[in-house]
């Protein structure tokens, strides 16, 4: 659910899919069905912390990592998890193109030991492309529990490839896997699937032509099959990666045409060739499965079904989901109170000491002020206010993910989203948006239809990300829950208000989705097909380590990177004077009328504008602008902060309008550029900018009028 | 002969024919929806649409409008 350096870094694969490598370096591609633990294997081999989650579609795009074993370097490319590589979707196309056209030496196919029957389908498809496959059967601990027995020797004899049994979670078999990869020798026996006499004959005709006229590493039988079924994507990919234009090869086209005619006269309709091929592969998977695996496991009687019945029931399903959301918020709010205060105080003390030291060293006032009031204050505020909630929120969300709850949310909500003209998987991207909106935008790739994907991208910003939580929480604490002496009661009320705000965001998402799907987008045929994975026990320690050291640190460092220049900018703006007043004063005065019109003020307005690179810095910008002095102001807790805000004209109206604008305004810089990258459309990017901004301003205006009439 | 959306909760049957558009058909194939495959409805969402089915040892959720295009055949116990 979180953005990390790695998930942003997809540029290490060259355009022609070749990986830069040294002579004795081995490149391994990692393929498999979604949710079979591919990412776990990737992590355990490379030591890299790619984020794993118990739901299909976690890895979007290729991720690269490497490891050394016995003085040899191995580079692993984690390709998207797919059920098939017949290129029915973009992810499948990425996976297939990589297996076909990259310079990978070994293809490590990961299958789920508890679900080999269906997983074999993908393995067989890959074996049709290349002989250099190692089969890695993961989750053998779960299989053992479910009393599934795998006859590895028999399977090895049938498939004629090395097989390793592992459990990435329990760290079983990993060294054996490394050994087998290390000792791997190219395999020359190719695996052939029998498609019946008619097809077999035609395949051979095309193969013979290809082999005598072209030179390439790709398996000619695989290519012949794709040409027979008239797969447009293979033509495109051949052109893209090998610069072959098969459509212009008249002789080849003639052969294909004739073959398709012969097949048609043998009662296989040409448009069903693909299905004919797929059903042959699946039936073969079934045969292999029946011959090699004995299972006493009955998925229908599994205790997962009892949990499913509770989580998806009409009465308890949706209330439980909201409860879970609330528990996460409550733990985050209640748990981060104390450490936040502690950090604020600590930074205050250090700040004062630094100030003394700077004085002692006779450092000019300007520099002291720039470094301490400008940069130090902004950065420490962000750490103190953001670190504790993130360190609690991220692991909690990861636990939900690892348990396998997210697909159930999509399952429960699909009908609501469908009525709004969209897709249940949008709820998954919204969950990702809670962590980071840019992630939600990238994650929208899991939605197959373009229309639904665009709707999900445009509306993702209505879910407040982790950068906006602290702003919301601190305003709630300062202005909305006054008069409660009991800390527990006030944190519960904060939770309720925060949940209300999120629900408002969700309602707005649905409204805008409905509106856009009726106006901007043509009705596109969509379907909902989603695997509900087995519930899995999360590994708490691993989650803690990974969330804190990977995602939390990443998000925080991103915020700090932006906070330093922002702090510097604000300092300059408040220390350069024109006509007896500093630039910041001029700027906020300029925006003051607009700000007040929308229930805010000029400072808040400017803070949101300057907070475009990262929403985290909005509150520190407001504070700096209000204090606007060259000495370090003491803001040791929220009470003094509230006094500062009230002295600068804040009322309950300002608080509510600021929260509304925080929830509904333009996406941050990272999200905007991600939207542009994902949609390649200026129009969508502009819409994503305008819609939340207009809605936010409108709501703020209305809120101001309404609250001022009531009070 | 009836369609998959009519399969009641906890009832099993066998897939006979898939008449969806090719795109969805390919996806269903990949997930194990093939002729003569046993299928069991095991879960309703709160709105009873989508519903979840067990096919080849996995739980797959489908909307009723799509399930309507899948023909099933077989008695209540899932045997012919």
């Amino acid at each position: 659910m979180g953005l990390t350096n790695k998930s942003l870094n997809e540029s290490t694969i060259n355009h022609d899919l070749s990986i830069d490598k040294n002579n004795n370096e081995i490149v391994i591609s990692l393929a498999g069905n979604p949710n079979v633990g591919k990412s776990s294997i990737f992590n355990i081999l490379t030591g890299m912390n790619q984020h794993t989650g118990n739901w299909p579609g976690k890895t979007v795009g290729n991720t690269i990592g490497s490891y050394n074993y016995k003085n040899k370097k191995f580079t692993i490319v984690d390709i998207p998890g797919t059920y098939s590589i017949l290129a029915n979707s973009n992810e499948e196309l990425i996976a297939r193109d990589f297996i076909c056209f990259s310079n990978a030496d070994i293809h490590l196919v990961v299958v789920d030991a508890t679900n080999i029957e269906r997983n074999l389908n993908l393995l067989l498809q890959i074996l049709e492309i290349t002989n250099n496959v190692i089969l890695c059967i993961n989750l053998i601990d779960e299989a053992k529990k479910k009393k599934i027995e795998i006859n590895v020797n028999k399977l090895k004899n049938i498939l004629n490839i090395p097989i390793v049994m592992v459990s990435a979670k329990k760290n079983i078999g990993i060294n054996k896997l490394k050994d087998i990869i290390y000792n791997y020798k190219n395999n020359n026996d190719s695996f052939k699937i029998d498609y019946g006499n008619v097809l077999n004959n035609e395949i051979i005709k095309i193969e013979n032509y290809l082999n005598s006229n072209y030179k390439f590493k790709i398996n000619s039988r695989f290519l012949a099959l794709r040409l027979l079924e008239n797969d447009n994507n293979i033509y495109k990919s051949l052109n893209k990666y090998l610069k072959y234009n098969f459509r212009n090869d008249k002789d080849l086209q003639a052969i294909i045409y004739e073959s398709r005619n012969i097949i048609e006269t043998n009662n296989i309709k040409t448009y069903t060739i693909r299905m004919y091929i797929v059903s042959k592969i699946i039936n073969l998977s079934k045969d292999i499965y029946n011959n090699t695996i004995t299972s006493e496991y009955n998925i229908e009687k599994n205790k997962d079904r009892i949990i499913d019945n509770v989580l998806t029931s009409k009465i308890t399903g949706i209330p439980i989901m909201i409860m879970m959301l609330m528990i996460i918020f409550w733990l985050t709010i209640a748990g981060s109170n104390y450490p936040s205060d502690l950090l604020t105080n600590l930074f205050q003390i250090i700040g004062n000491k630094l100030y003394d030291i700077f004085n002692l060293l006779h450092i000019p006032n300007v520099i002291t002020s720039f470094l301490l009031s400008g940069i130090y204050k902004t950065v420490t505020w962000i750490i103190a206010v953001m670190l504790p909630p993130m360190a609690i929120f991220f692991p909690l969300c990861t636990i939900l993910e690892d348990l396998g709850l997210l697909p159930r949310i999509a399952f429960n909500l699909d009908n609501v989203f469908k009525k709004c003209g969209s897709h249940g998987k949008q709820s998954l991207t919204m969950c990702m948006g809670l962590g980071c909106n840019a992630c939600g935008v990238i994650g929208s790739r899991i939605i197959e239809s373009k229309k639904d994907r665009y709707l999900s991208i445009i509306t993702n910003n209505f879910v407040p990300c982790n950068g906006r939580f602290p702003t919301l929480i601190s305003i709630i604490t300062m202005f909305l829950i006054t008069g409660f002496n009991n800390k527990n009661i006030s944190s519960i009320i904060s939770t309720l208000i925060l949940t209300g705000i999120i629900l408002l965001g969700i309602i707005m998402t649905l409204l805008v989705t409905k509106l856009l799907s009726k106006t901007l987008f043509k009705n596109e045929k969509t379907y909902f097909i989603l695997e509900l994975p087995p519930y899995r026990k999360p590994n708490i320690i691993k989650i803690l380590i990974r969330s804190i050291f990977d995602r939390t640190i990443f998000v925080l460092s991103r915020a700090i990177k932006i906070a330093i220049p922002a702090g510097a900018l604000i300092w300059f703006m408040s220390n350069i004077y024109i006509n007896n007043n500093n630039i910041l004063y001029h700027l906020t005065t300029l925006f003051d009328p607009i700000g007040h019109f929308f229930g805010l003020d000029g400072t808040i307005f400017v803070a949101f504008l300057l907070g475009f690179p990262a929403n985290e810095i909005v509150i520190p910008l407001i504070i700096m602008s209000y204090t606007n002095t060259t000495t370090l102001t003491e803001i040791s807790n929220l009470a003094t902060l509230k006094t500062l805000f009230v002295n600068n004209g804040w009322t309950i109206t300002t608080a509510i309008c600021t929260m509304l604008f925080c929830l509904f305004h333009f996406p941050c810089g990272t999200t905007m550029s991600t939207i542009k990258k994902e949609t390649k459309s200026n129009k969508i990017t502009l819409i994503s900018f305008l819609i939340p901004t207009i809605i936010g301003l409108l709501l703020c205006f209305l809120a101001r009028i309404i609250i001022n009439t009531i009070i | 002969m009836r369609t998959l959306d009519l399969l009641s909760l906890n009832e099993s049957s066998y897939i006979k024919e898939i008449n969806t558009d090719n795109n969805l058909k390919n996806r269903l194939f990949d997930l194990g929806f093939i002729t003569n495959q046993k299928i069991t409805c095991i879960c309703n969402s709160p709105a009873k649409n989508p519903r979840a089915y067990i096919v080849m040892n996995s739980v797959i959720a489908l909307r009723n409008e799509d399930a309507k295009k899948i023909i099933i055949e077989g008695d209540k116990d899932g045997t012919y």
Side-chain angles (χ1 to χ4, degrees), chain A residues 284-318:
Chain A
L284 179 60
S285 307
K286 253 186 140 147
D287 280 350
I288 296 175
Y289 174 83
N290 290 334
N291 272 316
T292 54
I293 282 131
T294 49
S295 167
E296 289 174 34
Y297 172 57
N298 185 348
I299 187 170
E300 290 166 37
K301 303 252 154 49
N302 191 272
K303 62 179 186 309
D304 281 9
R305 303 288 79 76
I306 301 164
I307 309 174
D308 268 343
N309 283 337
V310 178
L311 286 179
T312 60
S313 124
K314 197 168 190 167
I315 304 154
T316 50
I318 290 175

Side-chain angles (χ1 to χ4, degrees), chain A residues 115 282 286 414 418 530 532, chain B residues 29 49 58-59 61 63 65:
Chain A
N115 200 351
I282 293 182
K286 253 186 140 147
D414 179 59
K418 189 177 67 190
L530 181 70
L532 306 180
Chain B
F29 266 147
N49 182 16
S58 319
V59 183
R63 284 181 184 165
E65 0 350 355

Side-chain angles (χ1 to χ4, degrees), chain B residues 36-69:
Chain B
N36 294 331
Q37 173 66 45
K38 188 181 171 190
I39 185 162
T40 313
C41 176
I42 48 108
C43 190
N44 284 330
S45 66
K48 294 214 159 122
N49 182 16
R51 305 200 301 161
Y53 306 90
I54 288 179
V55 171
M56 263 194 199
N57 266 322
S58 319
V59 183
I60 310 287
L62 270 185
R63 284 181 184 165
N64 293 346
E65 0 350 355
D66 298 320
K68 220 184 205 82
K69 295 171 195 150

